[in-house]
Amino acid sequence: MRYRVRVLLLLLSLFFSAPLRAQTGTTPIVGEAGQKTFQVRNPDFKTSPHTGMTRKHWLEAAHYLLEGAFQYVKTVEDPMVFPKQPGKSYPRDGVHTPTEMLEGLCRTLFVAVPLLKENRNLEINGIKVADYYRRQLVKLTEPSSPTYVKPRAADGGPNQILVEFGGLAVSLFYAPDVLWRPLTAAQKEALSMTMLSYGDGPTVPSNWRFFNIFVLSFFKEQGYPVNEKLLLEYLDESLEQYRGQGWYNDSPAYDYYSMWAFQMYGPLWSEFFGKKHYPAYAARFQANFNDLPDNYPYLFSRDGQMIMWGRSIAYRFAAVVPFPLMGLAQEPGTNYGWMRRIASGTMLQFLQHPEFLAADHLPTLGFYGAFEPAVQIYSARASAFWMGKAFLGLLVPEGNPFWTAVENEGAWEKELTKGKVYNKFQEGSKILITDYPNIGAAEVRAWCHETVAKDWQLFRSTENYNRLSYHSAFPWQADGPNGEVAMNYVIKNQKNQWEALRLFTFKKFEHGIYYRDAVLETNDKINLRLADIPLPNGILRMDVNTSTEACQLRLGHYALPQKNGPIKREARKVKGHAVQIIDNGEYQLAMVSLSGWDHLEPINATNLHPESKESTVLNASGQFRPGQKSNVYATLMLWKKSGEKWTEEELVPVKKISQAAKGKSFTVSFRKGEAKTVRFE
C-alpha cells in the first residue's frame, strides 16, 4: 500500500507541475523526408569485424543524438524542451512544464557528459555545450526561471524530479571538472540545497533508491553534510533486492531494469564513491555484477539485437550499459569481444533503423518508430534520452580490453550449435532465457501477475509483461479488440470482450519444460495449466484447460510485420494435422494444431505491430466445456527464415502424445526417437 501511495504521488506531481509555455526556439523542426540514419564512418573491421564500431564510433553516436536535441536550443538560456509525441505521454495538454524541461536537461546530459569529458570545448549548433549545461543547472535554482525547481516540501513524496536529480548526480560524478567545479560557491550551495531536499527524502522501493543514493553520495563527496543513515538504509535495501544470477527484483517486476539499471548503478556508484567511502558495500555490488556474464549476454540475439520486453522500452540500448562496465571490473575470463559485439550491435539495431528518429530529429517513444501501446504515461518526449546511459560506458578508457579485444560472437560460435535449443534458467528470478541457433535468436519468459483493476500505473498488466514469451526476432504485437492476439491466450469474458491472460503463477522448470498456471482476472473459474517446451525451430505448448465453466478461447503465435508487399499465406494438412504458414520475406511462422483446437487461421491486423502498420498473426480458436472428452491443447509454434523449405517432419515433429495420471501427466514422443514427459503438479 505504501508503494502504491508513493507512486500515485509521483504521478500527481508529474501531471500537476506548474504549466509553462515553451520559450522561444522550441518550435518543432520538421526534417526532410527519409531522415538519415547513423552511419559508421571509417569502420574498423579489424578490431570490430561484425559492426565496425570502436570507442570512437560510440562517441560519434553520442554526438549524432545530441545534435538532434540541440536543434531545439538557440541560446544558453533556452530550456531543453521538445515537441510532444501524440498520445498518452505527458504533457497531455501539450503545455510544457518544469518537470518535462528537467527531463530534457538531465537526460540529454547522459549523452553529453562523455563528449564533454573528451572535449570540454565542444560546440553543437553554435552553442558551447558545457556553458549551456552549466547555465541550465544554475537556472534550476532561480525562482524567475521557467525551469525553476522548488525544493521538496517537508511532507513531499517521491516524484519525477527525484528521478531526474538522481540522473543528474550521476552526470555530476562523471564530469565534475566540467559541470560542478566551475560553478561559484553560491551556485553550488543553491543547487545542493535543492537536490538534497529530494535525495534526503522518501523514495519508491525499487531501483528508485539509487536516485537518492547518488544525490546523497555526490554531495557527501563534495563535503556537504548528508543523511548518512538514510544513505546506508537505501544501500541495504537495494542489495536486499538481489535474487542471484545477476538479477535484481524491481518490486515486483522482472524486466530490463532488473538487470541493466541495478547492474549499472551499483558498479558506477562503487567506482565514483563506494570504493573510497564504503568498500564493503562496493564489494557486494561488484560480486553481484560478476554474476552477470553467465546469462545476460544470452538474452541478446547472435547479432546483438535486444528483445522488446517490459516497460520503458523507449530507453532501448540503455540495456547494454553493463557490458562496457565489465571493463572496469576486468574479471578474468570475460569475453570482451563478445560483450562489445552485443553492445554495438544493439546500438545499431536502433541507430540504423529508419524510424528510430522522427522527422523532428528526435528519438520516438516506441521501439523503432512511435508505438503507442508501448508508451507509459510517465514518459515525455525527452524520456527516450534515458538511453543515453549506454554512453556512460565510455567511462571505460581507451586501451581497456573492452575496446581493444577483437569482436566475436561468443557462445554463438561454438557453444550454441544449430539443430539444438539451449535454455538458461535462473532459479532466483524464475527467468528462462532460450537461445535458438538455427535463426540466431533469443527468447525470454518471466514474471507477470498484475490485474488491470489494480494496475493504476497502467503498464504491468499489459502486453509489456503478459506475453507467454518474448523473442528477439518477433517483437510483441498488441492485442486487438476482435480477439487478435500474439503469443498469449485471450478468452471471451462475461462482458463479451476478449480478455488476455495476465495472472501467471510460476510452478517449476524441469527437463527443459517451463510450467505456469494461469487464471482469468475477471473469472477465477477459468484457469489453465501451461507447459512450454522450446524446440530447435520453435515451441511445443502442452496446455490443459482446468476451467469449471465453459469458455471461448484463442491462442496466438508471434506476429509478422508486413515489409515488402503482402504477407504470404499457406494452409496445409500434414500427417492429419492442420497447419497454417505465413511468410513476410524475412521469416516464416507456422502453427500446427495437435489437439484441442477447432480452427487455425491467419489474422491481419492494423496499427498493432511496432514495426509496421500492417501485420499478420496466426491464431488458434476453440470452445471449451467442462467434462468434454479432452481438455488438452497441444500446439506447435514454429519458425524459419524465409526461403527455407519445410519438411513434414519439421512441421509435425511429434509422433504421439500419451496421457496418463488423469490428465496430470503426458508423454510426448518425437519422430527422432526422443520423448519428453510433461508432469503437472
Side-chain angles (χ1 to χ4, degrees):
M1 179 61 71
R2 184 173 60 176
Y3 174 74
R4 182 181 303 175
V5 170
R6 285 174 175 173
V7 183
L8 181 59
L9 289 172
L10 181 161
L11 293 175
L12 289 172
S13 70
L14 192 63
F15 294 127
F16 292 100
S17 296
L20 293 172
R21 294 286 176 184
Q23 287 187 321
T24 303
T26 61
T27 303
I29 297 171
V30 180
E32 297 178 359
Q35 170 70 35
K36 289 183 178 179
T37 59
F38 174 71
Q39 302 298 314
V40 181
R41 296 181 298 175
N42 301 315
D44 181 352
F45 289 117
K46 183 177 180 180
T47 305
S48 301
H50 298 282
T51 68
M53 289 188 72
T54 62
R55 189 175 187 274
K56 173 177 73 75
H57 297 104
W58 278 45
L59 287 164
E60 290 177 358
H63 196 280
Y64 164 80
L65 282 177
L66 202 58
E67 280 183 326
F70 266 81
Q71 290 188 68
Y72 294 86
V73 174
K74 303 303 181 187
T75 75
V76 295
E77 299 296 325
D78 293 339
M80 189 67 78
V81 61
F82 305 130
K84 173 180 159 51
Q85 179 173 302
K88 67 171 77 81
S89 62
Y90 89 95
R92 302 188 73 172
D93 58 3
V95 180
H96 300 300
T97 68
T99 300
E100 179 197 2
M101 297 181 208
L102 183 65
E103 279 207 49
L105 177 71
C106 297
R107 298 194 178 202
T108 58
L109 193 51
F110 297 136
V111 186
V113 285
L115 297 171
L116 292 172
K117 189 87 169 177
E118 303 276 331
N119 175 17
R120 64 177 60 196
N121 296 315
L122 176 69
E123 285 192 26
I124 296 180
N125 195 29
I127 303 290
K128 289 186 178 295
V129 175
D131 289 350
Y132 174 78
Y133 281 107
R134 285 196 296 265
R135 176 62 186 136
Q136 291 298 314
L137 291 181
V138 172
K139 284 169 70 75
L140 297 178
T141 66
E142 295 178 346
S144 62
S145 168
T147 58
Y148 173 64
V149 176
K150 294 181 180 179
R152 182 181 67 88
D155 59 349
N159 56 34
Q160 193 69 31
I161 293 172
L162 170 63
V163 176
E164 305 313 322
F165 277 164
L168 176 56
V170 173
S171 294
L172 292 173
F173 259 132
Y174 193 107
D177 289 344
V178 180
L179 298 173
W180 174 255
R181 293 192 181 105
L183 301 182
T184 67
Q187 290 168 341
K188 291 176 180 177
E189 181 69 21
L191 188 59
S192 69
M193 287 179 61
T194 299
M195 291 181 67
L196 280 171
S197 74
Y198 290 89
D200 183 8
T203 193
V204 175
S206 65
N207 72 86
W208 277 51
R209 294 187 180 100
F210 278 106
F211 304 140
N212 305 74
I213 288 168
F214 272 97
V215 171
L216 293 168
S217 298
F218 177 76
F219 287 106
K220 176 178 169 59
E221 180 70 11
Q222 305 310 315
Y224 290 84
V226 303
N227 187 342
E228 291 193 56
K229 180 180 178 182
L230 186 65
L231 172 60
L232 295 176
E233 176 184 327
Y234 286 157
L235 286 168
D236 285 330
E237 290 173 345
S238 296
L239 285 163
E240 286 170 5
Q241 291 179 263
Y242 190 61
R243 297 294 181 268
Q245 297 85 44
W247 292 94
Y248 288 79
N249 179 265
D250 200 33
S251 302
Y254 287 97
D255 52 29
Y256 281 114
Y257 282 102
S258 304
M259 181 62 81
W260 81 255
F262 280 91
Q263 295 288 32
M264 174 197 68
Y265 293 133
L268 282 182
W269 176 83
S270 299
E271 190 70 19
F272 291 146
F273 181 79
K275 290 178 181 178
K276 175 181 176 182
H277 296 279
Y278 300 104
Y281 283 99
R284 291 175 66 188
F285 281 121
Q286 188 59 52
N288 295 348
F289 183 80
N290 292 342
D291 290 342
L292 178 154
D294 185 56
N295 70 88
Y296 193 48
Y298 295 82
L299 190 58
F300 296 78
S301 74
R302 182 167 189 155
D303 60 6
Q305 293 209 347
M306 67 178 285
I307 297 170
M308 183 179 173
W309 167 49
R311 67 187 176 103
S312 303
I313 199 64
Y315 305 162
R316 293 141 166 134
F317 56 76
V320 306
V321 66
F323 296 122
L325 295 182
M326 291 179 186
L328 297 177
Q330 298 205 30
E331 188 72 9
T334 303
N335 185 342
Y336 293 105
W338 185 24
M339 301 304 104
R340 193 176 76 256
R341 192 272 176 274
I342 295 172
S344 296
T346 306
M347 278 192 180
L348 294 179
Q349 176 184 357
F350 300 101
L351 292 174
Q352 294 191 331
H353 194 282
E355 293 186 6
F356 169 68
L357 291 190
D360 58 14
H361 304 275
L362 298 170
T364 61
L365 294 174
F367 192 58
Y368 292 116
F371 186 57
E372 188 68 4
V375 177
Q376 279 75 61
I377 59 175
Y378 56 72
S379 288
R381 188 64 184 280
S383 298
F385 281 94
W386 204 252
M387 73 180 74
K389 288 191 170 182
F391 298 116
L392 297 176
L394 287 160
L395 180 69
V396 176
E398 191 173 1
N400 185 279
F402 178 80
W403 302 115
T404 60
V406 176
E407 257 186 7
N408 62 79
E409 293 184 314
W412 296 96
E413 293 182 351
K414 295 181 180 179
E415 178 186 333
L416 306 176
T417 59
K418 288 190 175 182
K420 296 183 179 180
V421 62
Y422 296 86
N423 294 308
K424 276 188 172 287
F425 178 66
Q426 283 66 240
E427 181 60 43
S429 62
K430 315 304 182 189
I431 290 173
L432 178 67
I433 298 170
T434 303
D435 291 310
Y436 298 96
N438 284 1
I439 63 168
E443 189 177 57
V444 66
R445 292 166 176 82
W447 171 94
C448 183
H449 197 285
E450 183 83 23
T451 64
V452 170
K454 295 182 179 179
D455 187 12
W456 41 276
Q457 296 167 291
L458 305 177
F459 57 80
R460 287 203 176 108
S461 63
T462 70
E463 296 92 332
N464 292 281
Y465 293 91
N466 69 22
R467 306 295 83 175
L468 294 168
S469 54
Y470 295 85
H471 200 286
S472 63
F474 312 115
W476 61 258
Q477 175 173 290
D479 294 339
N482 300 313
E484 311 98 315
V485 61
M487 199 45 66
N488 199 2
Y489 279 92
V490 290
I491 295 165
K492 190 67 78 70
N493 63 23
Q494 293 167 342
K495 293 183 178 180
N496 204 36
Q497 298 171 334
W498 290 103
E499 179 181 334
L501 291 182
R502 57 182 61 91
L503 302 182
F504 298 97
T505 301
F506 172 81
K507 304 304 289 186
K508 61 181 176 179
F509 176 73
E510 64 179 20
H511 307 305
I513 306 174
Y514 192 80
Y515 295 87
R516 287 169 286 188
D517 288 349
V519 60
L520 193 68
E521 175 183 346
T522 61
N523 186 352
D524 61 8
K525 295 179 180 178
I526 308 297
N527 38 71
L528 291 90
R529 312 188 85 177
L530 310 174
D532 301 36
I533 307 174
L535 305 173
N537 279 322
I539 305 162
L540 169 61
R541 299 206 59 81
M542 289 292 299
D543 301 330
V544 175
N545 196 328
T546 54
S547 303
T548 57
E549 189 173 286
C551 61
Q552 183 180 350
L553 69 167
R554 304 172 71 102
L555 171 67
H557 197 341
Y558 290 117
L560 288 181
Q562 183 172 299
K563 295 210 165 178
N564 298 308
I567 292 174
K568 298 177 182 178
R569 306 178 177 199
E570 181 184 357
R572 296 188 193 179
K573 198 82 169 180
V574 178
K575 300 185 184 299
H577 299 286
V579 178
Q580 287 281 349
I581 301 171
I582 56 176
D583 186 337
N584 73 345
E586 183 179 10
Y587 289 105
Q588 304 173 73
L589 296 178
M591 195 171 197
V592 184
S593 173
L594 298 179
S595 70
W597 297 110
D598 299 329
H599 185 57
L600 296 183
E601 63 177 324
I603 297 177
N604 293 332
T606 302
N607 294 327
L608 297 181
H609 199 280
E611 288 191 88
S612 174
K613 180 179 179 180
E614 305 297 331
S615 60
T616 302
V617 64
L618 294 170
N619 276 193
S621 57
Q623 299 279 346
F624 172 80
R625 294 176 181 80
Q628 65 185 40
K629 184 177 180 181
S630 176
N631 62 346
V632 180
Y633 294 87
T635 318
L636 285 159
M637 300 171 161
L638 308 173
W639 49 74
K640 264 182 177 289
K641 291 187 176 179
S642 187
E644 298 179 358
K645 292 185 177 181
W646 294 93
T647 66
E648 290 194 348
E649 287 71 23
E650 287 173 329
L651 287 170
V652 186
V654 175
K655 183 178 181 180
K656 183 181 179 182
I657 298 175
S658 304
Q659 182 173 334
K662 295 182 180 180
K664 292 186 178 181
S665 177
F666 304 86
T667 298
V668 181
S669 301
F670 293 91
R671 297 186 187 280
K672 290 187 176 181
E674 306 167 78
K676 278 191 176 288
T677 300
V678 179
R679 292 188 176 90
F680 292 104
E681 295 176 350

